[in-house]
Amino acid sequence: MPECLGPSDLDPSEIDHYLTKGLSHLDSSSTSNNRYISEKILRSTKQLVAGWFVTIKAQITESNCPKSNTEAKDCTKLQGSKSKVCSFRIWEQPWINFTQIGVTCDNEDTQVFRSRRAISDEHFESPAERVHGKSTHADALKNGFLQFMNKYNKQYKHRIEFNFRLKVFRDNLNRIDLLNKYERGTARYGITQFADLTEAEFSKLHGYRPELRNENELPFARANIPDIELPTDFDWRAKGAVTEVKNQGLCGSCWAFSVTGNIEGQYALKHGALLEFSEQELVDCDKEDQGCNGGLMDTAYRVIEKMGGLESESDYPYEGADETCIFNKGKVKVQVTGALNISQNETDMAKWLVQNGPISIAINANAMQFYFGGISHPWASLCSPNSLDHGVLIVGYGVHSYALFNRTIPYWIVKNSWGPSWGEQGYYRVFRGDGTCGLNQTPSSAIVA
């Protein structure tokens, strides 16, 4: 099991991520029949320059595992093999799926691998060389922004807007750097489709609007928490209570997706069939919320009960815009008789979820703007629990065991509504146990007839 001996700008999960890439490249180019494994991490650094530039110096050795073995966790040092020190240099531009890896071991020649580009020579061109040698930092930033625009089909009306979005993109690179630098879990953050939006614009896009709450409404009843022993992990996706990930688009309708996701789970558990229900019905017909300009899950529960229920997704399909209400009570597939507020204690939340199904929650989505994957655990200063702006759905939980550094990390599995290309196939894993990003502030569920 490798030790981390020297200074590091990377957390353990990042070291594991990048070192795995480096060792995999080394294995592919070596003449040995066996895999290499790391014994000691001597030094690691990370720099944000037109992407991520990571350097890791490690002591490695040949293992007893053949290259055909894809799992390195059980590999040990091959008897008689000699250790050597290697420097791994990895440059990633994830928004264009570009990776360049250079490996130098002791006095051996440098080996270079590039993805999505032809190898014209064996020289590893670092981001610093590229920025300072062939172009300015401003040019590199602009080129990165143009690549981002091309990947996500971004278009701006005029030069003034282009320049403004370029500045936002640059500022967001700094925010990404902070999130990665101070991440306490295993999450990685990078350039997503939202990298040209300010924090305020991104927050407004989600649609959770706590200021719309009607203070005269009586609160829902408190849910009874079952007295059960919790399993180590639990996932309603594997039990037929969660539909496919949907996409709210540019409409601030997260609240509607959170509600329909919860009702879909409740209906499946009560009636034994997994159906998809209509978010567009709520966007168009819930006049107590504000459609694509936002709303609240609590209000939506009440409105569904008053209207008489929800139609199916196929009968009232999603348009992602405020349209005229065309609700047909004769096509209602599910009715709601009320809702429950669930305890803010996360152990209680887990117990209720195991016994009763997915939970609707609100969360501060600040860290989600740039989320790539892993278990997200930002500091409160980067993701305030008091600034809830997004409605989502908890569908399960688990514990990540990180044997390399003797850590375990409990997490929630959260279904988002930004399509399957975002995050982990549309899902967000977030730390469980300390109210990260306010996820425990408003847990609730509909009561399905």
Side-chain angles (χ1 to χ4, degrees):
M1 185 180 298
E3 308 167 72
C4 191
L5 301 181
S8 176
D9 294 334
L10 289 80
D11 66 28
S13 64
E14 289 180 305
I15 293 174
D16 183 59
H17 169 74
Y18 288 111
L19 188 56
T20 298
K21 283 179 176 283
L23 289 172
S24 177
H25 166 58
L26 187 60
D27 287 338
S28 68
S29 59
S30 77
T31 58
S32 170
N33 293 322
N34 290 10
R35 298 185 58 164
Y36 281 101
I37 57 172
S38 175
E39 295 179 298
K40 295 179 181 178
I41 310 300
L42 304 175
R43 182 181 179 86
S44 63
T45 63
K46 184 178 182 183
Q47 184 181 9
L48 182 65
V49 181
W52 295 117
F53 183 51
V54 173
T55 61
I56 299 175
K57 188 174 184 179
Q59 178 179 305
I60 69 170
T61 189
E62 196 174 345
S63 77
N64 61 348
C65 292
K67 289 181 179 178
S68 59
N69 185 340
T70 58
E71 291 292 332
K73 61 182 180 180
D74 297 324
C75 300
T76 58
K77 183 174 182 176
L78 181 66
Q79 186 174 4
S81 65
K82 293 183 179 180
S83 301
K84 59 182 177 180
V85 174
C86 294
S87 294
F88 299 86
R89 290 167 292 164
I90 300 108
W91 180 20
E92 280 190 328
Q93 291 181 313
W95 61 93
I96 57 169
N97 294 324
F98 171 75
T99 302
Q100 180 175 290
I101 302 172
V103 185
T104 304
C105 296
D106 293 332
N107 297 321
E108 300 174 13
D109 292 335
T110 298
Q111 301 171 15
V112 178
F113 165 79
R114 289 177 180 152
S115 68
R116 291 196 52 139
R117 291 200 182 179
I119 300 175
S120 58
D121 54 49
E122 291 302 311
H123 172 65
F124 182 92
E125 180 187 38
S126 74
E129 291 175 318
R130 199 159 197 255
V131 169
H132 299 302
K134 297 184 179 179
S135 63
T136 65
H137 179 71
D139 287 339
L141 175 67
K142 187 174 181 180
N143 288 337
F145 184 57
L146 291 172
Q147 292 163 353
F148 159 79
M149 289 177 61
N150 181 61
K151 178 175 181 178
Y152 294 109
N153 195 27
K154 299 280 186 171
Q155 296 181 354
Y156 307 113
K157 294 179 181 178
H158 42 64
R159 176 61 57 177
I160 293 175
E161 184 181 3
F162 174 89
N163 288 336
F164 174 72
R165 293 300 164 192
L166 176 61
K167 179 181 180 299
V168 172
F169 182 81
R170 181 197 66 196
D171 293 342
N172 282 338
L173 290 180
N174 292 328
R175 290 177 59 203
I176 291 167
D177 193 30
L178 285 174
L179 284 166
N180 280 304
K181 184 175 182 179
Y182 295 109
E183 171 60 35
R184 294 180 290 167
T186 67
R188 292 185 299 120
Y189 305 93
I191 296 169
T192 67
Q193 65 265 43
F194 307 115
D196 62 342
L197 298 178
T198 67
E199 189 174 346
E201 289 172 329
F202 181 67
S203 180
K204 186 177 180 181
L205 182 64
H206 314 148
Y208 182 76
R209 298 276 302 280
E211 72 275 12
L212 297 179
R213 190 177 306 280
N214 185 346
E215 299 299 335
N216 294 322
E217 291 278 11
L218 293 174
F220 294 126
R222 303 293 295 180
N224 293 322
I225 304 302
D227 183 14
I228 61 173
E229 184 174 340
L230 283 174
T232 302
D233 53 67
F234 194 90
D235 190 343
W236 277 113
R237 293 176 297 181
K239 300 178 184 297
V242 183
T243 60
E244 295 297 316
V245 171
K246 305 177 186 181
N247 194 340
Q248 69 185 77
L250 298 178
C251 171
S253 54
C254 66
W255 55 278
F257 284 85
S258 179
V259 165
T260 58
N262 168 259
I263 293 174
E264 287 164 353
Q266 292 299 301
Y267 185 90
L269 268 65
K270 186 164 187 175
H271 298 287
L274 183 61
L275 304 181
E276 291 188 329
F277 299 122
S278 174
E279 296 82 21
Q280 191 66 40
E281 178 188 329
L282 290 172
V283 170
D284 294 345
C285 307
D286 177 356
K287 301 306 180 182
E288 296 181 35
D289 287 303
Q290 295 189 4
C292 285
N293 289 316
L296 288 173
M297 287 80 86
D298 284 7
T299 305
Y301 295 141
R302 292 186 171 97
V303 170
I304 293 169
E305 185 177 4
K306 291 175 185 176
M307 286 195 302
L310 286 175
E311 294 184 44
S312 68
E313 185 79 56
S314 58
D315 285 337
Y316 203 142
Y318 187 67
E319 300 290 341
D322 293 312
E323 305 285 354
T324 302
C325 178
I326 54 171
F327 174 63
N328 183 342
K329 196 169 183 177
K331 293 183 177 181
V332 163
K333 293 294 191 295
V334 61
Q335 293 180 312
V336 168
T337 59
L340 297 169
N341 287 327
I342 300 167
S343 168
Q344 295 181 349
N345 179 286
E346 291 185 61
T347 300
D348 289 348
M349 288 171 60
K351 288 180 178 180
W352 195 93
L353 177 139
V354 167
Q355 190 91 350
N356 298 285
I359 299 174
S360 173
I361 64 162
I363 194 170
N364 180 338
N366 186 47
M368 298 172 72
Q369 183 172 359
F370 310 111
Y371 175 73
F372 273 11
I375 301 167
S376 179
H377 192 196
W379 290 96
S381 59
L382 295 173
C383 195
S384 171
N386 299 317
S387 300
L388 305 178
D389 58 9
H390 190 37
V392 289
L393 186 74
I394 295 179
V395 301
Y397 66 85
V399 178
H400 175 70
S401 297
Y402 199 80
L404 179 62
F405 290 86
N406 195 28
R407 296 173 64 193
T408 58
I409 306 175
Y411 61 86
W412 292 109
I413 304 168
V414 176
K415 183 185 182 186
N416 197 12
S417 52
W418 298 342
S421 64
W422 175 89
E424 295 183 334
Q425 291 77 52
Y427 286 86
Y428 180 49
R429 283 188 296 159
V430 59
F431 186 84
R432 171 169 56 97
D434 67 355
T436 295
C437 299
L439 63 82
N440 64 330
Q441 297 296 307
T442 63
S444 65
S445 174
I447 301 171
V448 168

